[in-house]
Amino acid sequence: PLPPVPELPPLPPLPEKPPLLPLLPLSWLPQLPLLPPLPQLPPLPLMLPYTEEPHALDASQPSTGSSLTREAANTQNNFERALRYIGFTQCSGETINTVMIGHGGGFGSMFQSAASNFLDAKLKAHREHTSVRVIFAGDFKWYTDNTRCNHTGHGCFFLDDTIVSSLVDDPRCNDVHAVEPPVDFEANAFWWSVCQAYLFQPSKSLLEAAERHRQTFDFHGFPDIALHIRQGDKPASMMLTEEQSSNISADTYLKLAEKWIFNESMKNRLPGAKVVVYVASDQENVYRTVESWAQSKANSVHLVMAKSKLAFKDGAPLEAALAGGLLSQEDKFLESQQFILDLYFIVFYDARSTFRWTLQVPTGPLGDEHRPCSRRTIWNGRGCGDG
């Protein structure tokens, strides 16, 4: 048999549970100070800063924090050096070539014709191992032939060294870094783009008008999306090809804008910032469609759209180049200024990423023999690359 189990001593009593602390009201907690709002970052510049020595922008150097790729930086560098080369030839030209402007239909057509003659004269002189200064004579029809223009022709809205004047004191004549072109001077999209940019340098008065335009429509810098909805006389013309006279609806443009708003423009934007959509058009029914669309997107879209006195009435298309001649002298100037402002805000896209304005150079219209790259590639000054 097992021995008896000894009795265990009794357990000591449990201590009494301490009383809970009384709940304090939330108002007793100290009030924390609010964090200050984050400062707004300044927008990136449209162009890289100017330097006396172009090689300071050498893309082979290590990155200093810029998001530019080496190819993009090199293209930008070549582009700015090419602009300076054209300026150097303008002030140091051994001969003068006079180009009569005003040939073509509307302002865009006349400007392209003048730019084409400008580039052809430069190329011819370069092949002959000489230099030429190109001067413009005449007017871009009623767009510059009015009493409000302080200068005739090209100088009405643009910085103009294409008129007869003394350039002896011009600093470009002493630019030792612009004596030779940065890349082969040929008839290609790169140099076509350079000449377009050189001739489309806004005058001081046009820049002041652009600033007034910003104040009127309450926006800064340049638009996020710019649409030129061209209809007007084009679909009614019997002289154009089927592709040229096709009438693309305003709704098609706006659907593209919506894709850009939510896929492109909304990236890296400040919270609550609206997308600035700039619309230029020549028809009243387009105005109504765009205004209705912008109202439906009021929380995300800031519309900028100036209406023209030359807007085509429904069913009565008339070419603006002809209709403008019927305006008063004052209205001729104001309408042409507004048209060129539309071009200014569309062309000078606010390139906040990869300098898109410079890289996507146009591929025409110089004829197929002048197009070194396909429509899906870009000319970077050395060859074709993915665009």
Side-chain angles (χ1 to χ4, degrees):
L2 295 175
V5 178
E7 291 186 4
L8 297 175
L11 294 174
L14 294 174
E16 291 186 6
K17 187 176 181 181
L20 293 176
L21 292 175
L23 294 178
L24 296 175
L26 293 178
S27 60
W28 178 84
L29 295 175
Q31 295 293 324
L32 297 177
L34 295 177
L35 294 176
L38 294 176
Q40 291 189 357
L41 297 177
L44 293 175
L46 179 66
M47 303 290 282
L48 288 176
Y50 176 86
T51 60
E52 290 295 333
E53 169 54 60
H55 296 288
L57 299 176
D58 188 356
S60 64
Q61 298 300 318
S63 172
T64 58
S66 171
S67 61
L68 282 176
T69 64
R70 288 187 176 184
E71 181 179 6
N74 191 60
T75 302
Q76 179 72 18
N77 184 21
N78 286 338
F79 192 88
E80 299 218 1
R81 292 174 64 189
L83 282 172
R84 292 162 66 178
Y85 170 75
I86 294 296
F88 180 81
T89 63
Q90 277 295 92
C91 74
S92 63
E94 300 173 14
T95 60
I96 292 179
N97 188 321
T98 302
V99 172
M100 292 297 300
I101 62 175
H103 301 292
F107 179 84
S109 173
M110 292 185 287
F111 188 90
Q112 298 302 301
S113 176
S116 180
N117 290 329
F118 181 91
L119 177 58
D120 286 344
K122 296 291 183 182
L123 288 170
K124 182 176 182 294
H126 182 72
R127 287 192 294 265
E128 296 174 353
H129 304 287
T130 184
S131 59
V132 64
R133 182 180 172 208
V134 180
I135 62 174
F136 289 157
D139 279 294
F140 292 121
K141 296 181 179 175
W142 62 269
Y143 295 89
T144 60
D145 185 11
N146 57 73
T147 56
R148 280 288 307 277
C149 277
N150 294 326
H151 302 280
T152 58
H154 181 261
C156 182
F157 296 106
F158 305 102
L159 293 180
D160 196 3
D161 58 18
T162 62
I163 57 176
V164 179
S165 62
S166 174
L167 291 172
V168 175
D169 298 328
D170 196 307
R172 293 172 302 174
C173 297
N174 301 316
D175 190 350
V176 297
H177 303 298
V179 176
E180 295 293 335
V183 295
D184 291 341
F185 193 18
E186 299 173 348
N188 57 42
F190 177 84
W191 283 103
W192 176 243
S193 180
V194 168
C195 286
Q196 293 278 324
Y198 185 84
L199 295 176
F200 203 93
Q201 297 181 81
S203 65
K204 180 182 178 182
S205 60
L206 187 64
L207 291 175
E208 291 172 347
E211 191 57 36
R212 292 193 297 271
H213 201 58
R214 292 184 178 100
Q215 294 174 4
T216 300
F217 289 95
D218 191 23
F219 73 103
H220 302 281
F222 293 86
D224 300 294
I225 297 172
L227 306 173
H228 179 197
I229 306 179
R230 174 68 188 270
Q231 293 182 351
D233 62 299
K234 288 295 182 184
S237 176
M238 302 298 293
M239 300 176 61
L240 302 177
T241 65
E242 181 179 353
E243 180 184 18
Q244 289 174 315
S245 60
S246 61
N247 191 342
I248 302 173
S249 69
D251 289 332
T252 301
Y253 284 88
L254 298 177
K255 287 178 181 178
L256 284 173
E258 288 182 20
K259 291 183 179 180
W260 290 330
I261 288 172
F262 296 108
N263 294 335
E264 291 288 339
S265 298
M266 294 302 288
K267 293 180 180 178
N268 302 321
R269 297 184 64 84
L270 294 174
K274 294 185 178 181
V275 179
V276 178
V277 179
Y278 193 103
V279 175
S281 186
D282 58 6
Q283 205 157 10
E284 287 191 347
N285 67 331
V286 172
Y287 296 154
R288 295 191 293 268
T289 300
V290 171
E291 286 174 341
S292 176
W293 172 82
Q295 290 176 0
S296 68
K297 302 286 187 295
N299 292 332
S300 57
V301 169
H302 179 85
L303 175 65
V304 179
M305 181 172 66
K307 298 181 180 180
S308 169
K309 290 186 177 181
L310 295 177
F312 302 127
K313 310 294 182 182
D314 296 340
L318 181 62
E319 187 178 352
L322 300 177
L326 305 177
L327 297 174
S328 67
Q329 293 292 315
E330 177 75 10
D331 285 342
K332 284 179 181 178
F333 175 80
L334 294 177
E335 283 297 305
S336 57
Q337 178 178 259
Q338 181 56 54
F339 180 78
I340 296 172
L341 280 178
D342 287 344
L343 290 177
Y344 171 74
F345 283 112
I346 291 175
V347 171
F348 286 87
Y349 174 77
D350 188 6
R352 279 173 278 201
S353 60
T354 68
F355 290 91
R356 190 174 310 172
W357 172 72
T358 299
L359 290 178
Q360 295 185 355
V361 293
T363 57
L366 280 175
D368 292 335
E369 70 277 7
H370 292 153
R371 289 186 182 139
C373 306
S374 70
R375 292 185 182 274
R376 296 182 181 230
T377 60
I378 58 173
W379 177 261
N380 57 25
R382 300 181 309 280
C384 298
D386 292 336

